[in-house]
Amino acid sequence: MGKFVYSFSEGSKDMRSLLGGKGANLAEMTRIGLPVPYGFTVTTEACTRYYEENQMIGEDIIGEIYEKLAELEAVTEKKFGDKENPLLVSVRSGSVFSMPGMMDTILNLGLNDETVESLAKLTENDRFAYDSYRRFIQMFGDVVLEIPKSEFDVIFDGQKEKVGAAFDVDLTTDDLKEIIVGYKALVKKAVGRDFPQEPKDQLMEAIKAVFRSWNNDRAILYRKLNRISDKLGTAVNVQSMVFGNMGDTSGTGVAFTRDPATGNNQLYGEFLVNAQGEDVVAGIRTPKPIAEMAEAFPEVYKDFERIAEILEKHYKDMQDMEFTVERGKLFMLQTRAAKRTAVSAIKVAVDMVDEGLIAKETAVERIDPAQIDQLLHPTFDTKAEKTAEVLAKGLPASPGAATGKIYFTASDAEAAVESGEKAILVRQETSPEDLAGMVAAEGILTARGGMTSHAAVVARGMGKCCVAGCSEIIVDESGKTLTIGDDRLEEGDYISLNGSTGTVYRGQIATVQPELSGDFGMIMSWADEIRKLKVRTNADNPKDAAQALAFGAEGIGLCRTEHMFFEEERIPAIRQMILAETEEERRTALAKLLPFQKSDFMGMYEVMEDKPVTIRLLDPPLHEFLPQTEEDTRELAAHTGIPYEKLAQAASELHEFNPMLGHRGCRLAVTYPEIAEMQTRAIMEAAIEVSAEKGVDIVPEIMIPLVGSKAEIADVKATVVKTADACREEAGSQMKYHIGTMIEVPRAALTADEIAEEAEFFSFGTNDLTQMTFGFSRDDTGKLIKEYVDKGILPDDPFQTIDQDGVGLLVQMAVEKGRQTRPNIKLGICGEHGGDPRSIEFCHRTGLDYVSCSPYRVPIARIAAAQAAIKDVEK
Ligand code: PEP
Ligand code: MG
């Protein structure tokens, strides 16, 4: 029989998967001699068994729990249910990966009508004892008996109103006793039985409730968002209570060893005198900055500083700690790696390398590539922000800039976003139920709660702009209004939030791009030293190319030439080419296009200089360049003099339906070689001229799309070679050039050895390759794939993260076959997957030379490529 319950003295930080993060760290803190109230952990395996055994806790596990309870009683010299010296415990969930605020907690368990009196006597504090008891009934009622919290609130607020109490602390012992009577009546009415008085029953029910909470909606959603397996289960921590609400020498708080928003190396957090933990996290009272604790409890503060330092050095990472002070004595209740903004993550990582605490590799590994996004996104334009009307000021809970229409419930915000709006979620305070709305919103504004309130913690984790604790505003959630002084805003009105300053503005504000240097540059340079993959970008205009260069791109992996065709002054010539009836007519039209294409390519080469630039020949079906509506077709007819009927007929003949696998890709060049001729000429002439002008070495890379066989590429290649060589001769140039192909048709992967006889490089077009391997039309399947992912039929959207088991196999096969024929063949990827961290890891393992992605994903790709290399070495 296994072991399902561990005392804190038996575990360590390395037992996370069994004890959960919280349990493992409580054990670790106990092990290294820090003051932790004693307790024990019921393992995640017990949770798995609970689900396997029909939601029952096995007799053997119950036996183990009682054994550990007896040990806890011995250590604390208290007894469960004892009238003289009762043991009270907290029961908290703790899964392998931290899920802040997602799971349930019960405090003061062990209180009943008798032990509450002994607690009052022992502490000589009636009020404290009855306050603890009413909190316990409320939490137990909510978490275990599933009675809505609001029903308890009605009783509580009713009593406050009845006696004219402004704050919770104004309630007297008698008031609290009356509330308890009300709470117990509510429990009886709601569940048809009395509130359980036997502590052991309370404990078992609470443990089961924690197991159940693993599968509540918000926990499931959180896991889904964070890609945490549903199978892990949660551990349960049972810990003897310490009380932060025992009067003015007690208190409770949450603190970080460094600033989780900026990364500054100073203790950062909040505390409340005479309060229990949930008061801080739930934002019921607005807490004080941790520095003020130095004044309230100077000795304890020193001790806390010392422990924070020990913990950070021990874990070699920024910690997020919970503590309680009971009558002047400090107790640690939790420590874990702190969630942090991207700015903070980067600063902390760089500082810790400077401090000699971690290696560069660890620093790079700690950066979440997806989070980098936060740094690349715009902030408010300073000028526009200066002139904007300030409505209110709250706490700068999570940095960034957000503009949108206000909505007052999570579901309204979600619905608005679904219909294409940008939403700001405005709440009195948020709770875990609001998660889906927070995900959908651009930003979050709350009236109550501090820097460690639910809204603040969750928003920072998501990298979402948040202003919290904005006490100047009055939020009427049911009336859907936001009042600030005499001003009233309604649902749908625009506001803007600056999450770095806590300012709330009226209306919309323009945004600007951020600068990337300092610590960010340092981390990036370490990533560049470590990674093996090169990072290119997909860009088809000089502006995007320059942006990508600024982000560290080392070349262009895909220039889609059709994007250049759409420009207004070119479209008439394109259409003339499409509608041409003879080769001669087509050549006349193409001749008009040549100077445009050439200057496009010159622009690209001027920016990229000697860096590699892969230019792809025309790919999309021609109908995309013809007018789509009757009105536009008539206009074109009037403009060109071509009869409307002829135009309409051409459009309908050329029209293709998704997935558009007809007359496109290299098939265009096979049937109309003069298109490939014109494009090759434009590329070569541009390269030769810029090379001479700038004195740089350019080696054009000409890429043929949608190839499925050797003969097909050979046909187009002949046109390209003939034209390129003619250009060289005309210019008297020796310029080298490379011809390669996209691998995006499954047949190309299967026959890659043959294709490599013609192609000097392969670029995996995993968008089309995914479309054709799955048989999913890439433009029609968004909704369907979401359902497949929700149902678990697909682990991920294969258009976002490469399907390693299917599409990935084709890529691997093509890599092997390609190298067989041509050992030095250059291999890259230019589908969307080139910017996806998990796909990048796959590309590294598969041995590609480079990934190519959109400019804004270049820094993400640099980090992800370095992390893939580190992982490889670790293996
Ligand atoms: C691809 O298919 O992956 C690709 C990069 O080409 P496009 O998206 O232009 O079809
Ligand atoms: Mg493609």
Side-chain angles (χ1 to χ4, degrees):
M1 195 75 350
K3 181 172 159 72
F4 291 94
V5 190
Y6 288 74
S7 293
F8 289 171
S9 60
E10 294 177 303
S12 78
K13 70 177 174 12
D14 303 322
M15 293 166 70
R16 256 188 114 83
S17 62
L18 193 61
L19 303 178
K22 185 179 290 182
N25 288 335
L26 283 168
E28 186 73 8
M29 287 197 287
T30 307
R31 207 176 63 78
I32 63 173
L34 299 184
V36 175
Y38 202 58
F40 57 86
T41 304
V42 186
T43 64
T44 52
E45 286 177 1
C47 180
T48 310
R49 256 191 62 187
Y50 167 81
Y51 280 105
E52 280 166 6
E53 292 174 4
N54 237 343
Q55 308 212 3
M56 302 263 288
I57 301 183
E59 285 302 320
D60 57 322
I61 298 179
I62 293 177
E64 276 191 59
I65 292 172
Y66 287 162
E67 236 173 72
K68 292 298 176 193
L69 186 62
E71 184 188 325
L72 181 56
E73 287 176 332
V75 170
T76 57
E77 297 177 351
K78 295 176 181 178
K79 256 187 132 39
F80 230 15
D82 193 80
K83 283 185 203 119
E84 300 300 318
N85 195 9
L87 170 66
L88 302 182
V89 297
S90 66
V91 177
R92 293 170 201 255
S93 60
S95 57
V96 180
F97 299 104
S98 93
M99 297 167 64
M102 288 299 122
M103 309 274 288
D104 297 319
T105 290
I106 297 159
L107 302 178
N108 307 326
L109 188 140
L111 279 176
N112 59 25
D113 293 352
E114 281 178 347
T115 52
V116 67
E117 281 182 36
S118 9
L119 183 66
K121 246 186 259 150
L122 271 174
T123 57
E124 295 172 4
N125 191 339
D126 287 358
R127 193 189 178 284
F128 157 72
Y130 283 92
D131 189 42
S132 301
Y133 193 24
R134 72 93 192 159
R135 284 169 191 267
F136 171 48
I137 301 175
Q138 182 173 341
M139 268 190 250
F140 194 92
D142 168 27
V143 174
V144 180
L145 306 173
E146 295 174 10
I147 303 166
K149 220 158 100 210
S150 57
E151 296 190 25
F152 289 98
D153 288 345
V154 170
I155 296 170
F156 191 77
D157 292 341
Q159 185 70 20
K160 264 167 91 176
E161 203 169 301
K162 193 169 123 193
V163 300
F167 297 101
D168 297 5
V169 286
D170 298 335
L171 291 169
T172 64
T173 307
D174 285 336
D175 295 331
L176 293 166
K177 283 183 179 169
E178 238 179 275
I179 289 170
I180 290 168
V181 171
Y183 277 7
K184 289 208 286 194
L186 169 63
V187 167
K188 177 113 198 212
K189 192 166 139 238
V191 297
R193 59 188 164 99
D194 285 324
F195 183 78
Q197 291 288 313
E198 171 53 48
K200 282 188 175 168
D201 294 345
Q202 296 173 351
L203 180 62
M204 284 306 158
E205 283 202 50
I207 291 174
K208 275 194 234 168
V210 173
F211 285 160
R212 278 202 306 276
S213 73
W214 175 252
N215 271 339
N216 68 28
D217 291 346
R218 59 186 201 246
I220 291 171
L221 176 63
Y222 186 88
R223 288 202 292 274
K224 204 165 131 195
L225 287 172
N226 291 279
R227 308 187 49 77
I228 296 172
S229 159
D230 287 330
K231 295 207 182 91
L232 297 174
T234 180
V236 186
N237 298 292
V238 178
Q239 186 173 27
S240 54
M241 284 294 303
V242 283
F243 294 97
N245 53 344
M246 268 198 181
D248 290 341
T249 55
S250 302
T252 186
V254 180
F256 297 82
T257 51
R258 304 186 189 216
D259 188 327
T262 63
N264 284 341
N265 189 2
Q266 69 198 50
L267 266 187
Y268 178 90
E270 300 173 319
F271 90 119
L272 264 177
V273 174
N274 196 12
Q276 268 188 338
E278 83 272 18
D279 297 341
V280 180
V281 179
I284 291 166
R285 278 161 60 191
T286 301
K288 304 242 175 329
I290 192 95
E292 286 180 30
M293 185 172 139
E295 290 151 36
F297 310 133
E299 285 308 308
V300 176
Y301 185 73
K302 250 194 241 153
D303 206 23
F304 182 66
E305 271 185 321
R306 180 183 65 86
I307 288 175
E309 201 183 322
I310 291 175
L311 283 172
E312 196 179 86
K313 293 230 162 85
H314 186 71
Y315 283 94
K316 297 185 174 16
D317 197 3
M318 167 161 64
Q319 297 296 297
D320 164 0
M321 304 157 293
E322 281 177 27
F323 63 93
T324 283
V325 181
E326 182 184 281
R327 290 176 163 166
K329 182 163 171 19
L330 175 67
F331 292 94
M332 299 305 294
L333 299 185
Q334 165 153 313
T335 191
R336 61 184 174 196
K339 297 240 184 266
R340 59 204 83 172
T341 61
V343 171
S344 172
I346 284 173
K347 176 157 173 53
V348 169
V350 172
D351 286 353
M352 284 190 170
V353 171
D354 285 349
E355 290 158 26
L357 214 52
I358 57 173
K360 287 177 189 173
E361 284 76 10
T362 312
V364 170
E365 260 183 316
R366 287 226 180 117
I367 307 300
D368 174 2
Q371 238 193 352
I372 297 279
D373 214 28
Q374 285 176 33
L375 301 175
L376 310 179
H377 281 290
T379 49
F380 287 134
D381 172 65
T382 329
K383 260 204 207 133
E385 187 171 7
K386 266 202 190 118
T387 55
E389 181 189 348
V390 175
L391 283 175
K393 205 136 185 167
L395 300 172
S398 180
T403 288
K405 292 183 175 177
I406 56 174
Y407 294 91
F408 294 89
T409 68
S411 52
D412 287 345
E414 265 188 286
V417 171
E418 247 180 41
S419 66
E421 299 290 354
K422 289 196 164 166
I424 304 277
L425 179 63
V426 181
R427 301 283 288 161
Q428 186 72 357
E429 64 204 338
T430 65
S431 72
E433 282 92 57
D434 293 328
L435 188 61
M438 296 172 76
V439 173
E442 295 288 309
I444 297 138
L445 170 64
T446 66
R448 285 202 300 213
M451 293 293 282
T452 49
S453 63
H454 178 265
V457 170
V458 174
R460 275 201 297 274
M462 295 194 285
K464 193 145 285 194
C465 168
C466 174
V467 174
C470 185
S471 51
E472 297 165 54
I473 62 171
I474 298 166
V475 177
D476 177 357
E477 288 169 3
S478 48
K480 303 191 176 185
T481 60
L482 166 66
T483 312
I484 309 141
D486 298 333
D487 250 332
R488 169 176 296 189
L489 273 68
E490 294 182 355
E491 182 180 88
D493 287 346
Y494 274 106
I495 62 168
S496 297
L497 304 178
N498 184 333
S500 311
T501 61
T503 318
V504 182
Y505 299 96
R506 189 194 299 280
Q508 295 170 273
I509 304 178
T511 51
V512 287
Q513 302 303 329
E515 287 218 17
L516 304 168
S517 54
D519 291 336
F520 179 81
M522 186 58 84
I523 283 274
M524 283 297 166
S525 71
W526 293 338
D528 292 345
E529 281 168 28
I530 297 166
R531 70 187 157 90
K532 301 275 181 292
L533 280 169
K534 297 245 176 242
V535 177
R536 295 198 191 181
T537 192
N538 294 355
D540 36 58
N541 60 64
K543 186 167 158 270
D544 286 358
Q547 176 68 74
L549 273 190
F551 285 154
E554 296 164 291
I556 288 179
L558 173 63
C559 171
R560 293 176 163 105
T561 49
E562 57 270 19
H563 290 183
M564 302 165 154
F565 278 39
F566 280 109
E567 306 239 328
E568 210 171 310
E569 46 187 351
R570 305 161 190 203
I571 200 96
I574 309 283
R575 289 172 171 167
Q576 195 189 339
M577 175 205 58
I578 294 171
L579 297 166
E581 285 177 347
T582 62
E583 185 185 322
E584 203 189 327
E585 270 182 61
R586 204 158 29 247
R587 283 189 183 279
T588 313
L590 284 164
K592 286 190 200 156
L593 285 171
L594 177 65
F596 287 122
Q597 281 263 277
K598 185 171 155 186
S599 79
D600 289 333
F601 297 143
M602 286 181 71
M604 299 300 278
Y605 285 126
E606 272 157 13
V607 172
M608 299 306 291
E609 301 192 326
D610 57 352
K611 297 190 177 58
V613 176
T614 304
I615 298 176
R616 178 177 75 182
L617 301 184
L618 192 63
D619 181 50
L622 297 177
H623 84 101
E624 290 199 0
F625 302 103
L626 291 179
Q628 307 291 326
T629 62
E630 184 186 329
E631 194 188 333
D632 290 347
T633 312
R634 286 200 186 278
E635 203 176 297
L636 181 64
H639 194 73
T640 56
I642 302 171
Y644 166 78
E645 288 69 26
K646 188 179 166 195
L647 276 178
Q649 192 194 348
S652 99
E653 269 172 19
L654 291 171
H655 189 72
E656 294 210 17
F657 296 94
N658 286 337
M660 295 205 273
L661 292 173
H663 195 195
R664 58 164 284 214
C666 64
R667 301 159 198 177
L668 293 168
V670 170
T671 49
Y672 300 138
E674 35 310 338
I675 300 179
E677 267 175 40
M678 181 280 281
Q679 292 200 291
T680 304
R681 179 165 285 280
I683 294 168
M684 290 304 291
E685 288 184 2
I688 291 167
E689 277 178 38
V690 175
S691 171
E693 239 169 57
K694 290 205 137 196
V696 288
D697 223 2
I698 297 176
V699 183
E701 296 178 357
I702 301 170
M703 180 153 75
I704 302 171
L706 217 78
V707 162
S709 75
K710 180 184 160 186
E712 202 178 23
I713 181 177
D715 180 275
V716 181
K717 187 177 165 183
T719 308
V720 174
V721 169
K722 196 169 120 215
T723 315
D725 290 352
C727 293
R728 287 202 301 197
E729 212 164 294
E730 285 160 27
S733 160
Q734 297 293 316
M735 180 172 278
K736 284 199 198 112
Y737 60 91
H738 298 302
I739 300 175
T741 182
M742 308 255 318
I743 301 285
E744 52 184 343
V745 174
R747 196 180 186 286
L750 298 169
T751 60
D753 45 350
E754 293 171 18
I755 290 175
E757 287 169 24
E758 300 291 340
E760 292 172 84
F761 62 87
F762 287 170
S763 179
F764 289 94
T766 42
N767 303 331
D768 273 309
L769 193 59
T770 300
Q771 161 165 281
M772 288 183 241
T773 304
F774 273 96
F776 280 147
S777 167
R778 62 192 260 195
D779 296 310
D780 301 318
T781 36
K783 216 171 141 206
L784 173 94
I785 284 176
K786 190 176 171 297
E787 270 193 62
Y788 268 47
V789 173
D790 286 346
K791 278 193 158 177
I793 296 173
L794 285 172
D796 298 285
D797 179 342
F799 288 103
Q800 278 172 22
T801 290
I802 196 161
D803 157 48
Q804 298 190 22
D805 301 335
V807 178
L809 282 187
L810 287 170
V811 173
Q812 278 163 350
M813 180 189 288
V815 166
E816 266 169 45
K817 284 177 171 272
R819 286 215 170 108
Q820 252 167 39
T821 305
R822 194 187 285 268
N824 65 349
I825 189 166
K826 176 92 69 74
L827 301 167
I829 181 172
C830 63
E832 278 306 297
H833 306 85
D836 167 67
R838 278 180 295 148
S839 310
I840 291 170
E841 197 196 325
F842 167 82
C843 294
H844 171 89
R845 273 192 281 113
T846 309
L848 299 194
D849 297 305
Y850 68 88
V851 297
S852 188
C853 56
S854 58
Y856 274 83
R857 289 166 93 188
V858 166
I860 299 172
R862 287 162 71 194
I863 289 277
Q867 291 178 344
I870 294 168
K871 225 173 165 177
D872 208 13
V873 170
E874 281 171 357
K875 261 199 291 179

